[in-house]
Amino acid sequence: MVTGVQTCALPISWLNDLFADGEDQAPNSESVQASPAAADPVQAPTEPTGSIPSGGGFCETLHGGDPPPWERGQNGASADIEGMRGGLQTGLAVLAKNYRGRELELIARLQTALDTNDLGLPPFPDTVIKLRGLLDSDRVDSAEISKLVRTDPGLAEEVWRVASSAAMGGRRPKTLQQAVGCLGHQQLWKVAMFVALDEALFQVTSFEEEVLFLRGHGTHVADLAEWMAPNRLKGQAWMGGLLHDSGKLLICRMASEVGVPNNAPVLATLMDHCHSGLGGLVANSWNMPRAASAIAFHHGEQDPVGRLIHRADIASHGAGAALQGLDDVRAQAALAAQEDGTFTSSALMDKAIQLAEKDRQAA
């Protein structure tokens, strides 16, 4: 459990800036050429931007329908928050007719959360908000950053751990300021985000396997989406990818609270029908309106960042199947059908397998 994280209900302006208006156009061939990492998908950098936590293997609870996982979760998705909320309420009302007992209680819990606009999540950690502000300042002060990190024992411990790991060269820093410098600003921010989400979403009693899978899958999709994105969309793509299945985590969290076991049939149904809309509402509850749109639409083509997440999601599921010796033809065909000059399906699948294999070896 992460400790020492201070929270507040202040607007997360830096996340709004990350998803700011004016940077929401889909990458075209010209914008991709401006990004060395995405100019030629076949020649894109082969090293991941960060380590990927273990995500486990195929998780039955999370995949219950006949359509492939990248085609699910479209119910409840709308261009505006109220539209998402209304669509989800309608869908849950229909589902409620088919369940009773604790499964019905879970659906009722979700309905109440939508009616009251209270998802039961903690505010986004103040430490991460302040850190982003320091990293975005004109004059970045490493000593001030280290001082802020030190106020959060959970974050400080994770910074020490990552900075001392073999992936960072295996040279243990002597001071926290050295550890911060070893990581660099982008990696430090990602470490802070994982620590924050560990407290807010990634701790669910009786759903440890599901959470482990979703954490690993979210990180895999985030890194793939960032790799594909032009420079101006990389931050958006990584954040949206990391949170794209947060609706599933919310369902697991509420199921745990009302005592629904992780093998209950209602869970797969809710995952299939509601998770993208719920994920959009999770992002919105943390004052991330642009992320909310990308997450709600990550199964389709409506949102430019959502398109990147959608392709990364397909590649991630396909890579997972390939590494388990399962058929990944559907994933390859789905990616091939979406080729538009900004990426090649073979390069994306190769990258997805490379990252997944590295994750498996590290597990």
Side-chain angles (χ1 to χ4, degrees), residues 96-117:
K97 299 176 182 179
N98 302 318
Y99 295 95
R100 61 183 62 187
R102 289 185 177 179
E103 293 188 333
L104 179 58
E105 185 179 351
L106 171 59
I107 294 174
R109 182 70 174 271
L110 286 166
Q111 290 174 312
T112 299
L114 294 173
D115 289 340
T116 61
N117 196 27

Side-chain angles (χ1 to χ4, degrees), residues 193-281:
M193 284 299 307
F194 281 123
V195 171
L197 291 175
D198 275 342
E199 178 173 271
L201 281 176
F202 292 144
Q203 299 288 337
V204 184
T205 303
S206 301
F207 284 82
E208 289 80 7
E209 179 186 356
E210 288 77 13
V211 170
L212 185 63
F213 178 91
L214 289 171
R215 192 182 194 276
H217 176 60
T219 310
H220 194 208
V221 171
D223 286 343
L224 287 171
E226 181 187 50
W227 179 76
M228 280 192 296
N231 286 338
R232 63 190 179 85
L233 294 177
K234 285 188 180 297
Q236 299 182 35
W238 188 85
M239 176 64 77
L242 184 66
L243 293 174
H244 80 283
D245 275 347
S246 56
K248 291 184 178 182
L249 288 162
L250 180 65
I251 292 170
C252 291
R253 185 185 181 101
M254 290 190 176
S256 174
E257 291 171 353
V258 302
V260 172
N262 64 357
N263 62 348
V266 70
L267 292 175
T269 300
L270 290 172
M271 300 290 184
D272 282 357
H273 289 274
C274 302
H275 81 269
S276 58
L278 286 174
L281 293 175

Side-chain angles (χ1 to χ4, degrees), residues 62-141:
L62 305 177
H63 305 298
D66 179 66
W70 55 85
E71 291 181 3
R72 302 177 193 158
Q74 302 204 41
N75 290 359
S78 179
D80 61 276
I81 294 301
E82 291 310 310
M84 284 192 289
R85 194 186 314 279
L88 288 167
Q89 288 169 325
T90 299
L92 288 173
V94 173
L95 290 176
K97 299 176 182 179
N98 302 318
Y99 295 95
R100 61 183 62 187
R102 289 185 177 179
E103 293 188 333
L104 179 58
E105 185 179 351
L106 171 59
I107 294 174
R109 182 70 174 271
L110 286 166
Q111 290 174 312
T112 299
L114 294 173
D115 289 340
T116 61
N117 196 27
D118 182 5
L119 302 181
L121 298 175
F124 209 78
D126 185 42
T127 304
V128 182
I129 300 172
K130 292 179 178 178
L131 176 61
R132 189 69 250 178
L134 291 177
L135 295 176
D136 288 341
S137 62
D138 293 334
R139 295 184 179 181
V140 180
D141 189 328

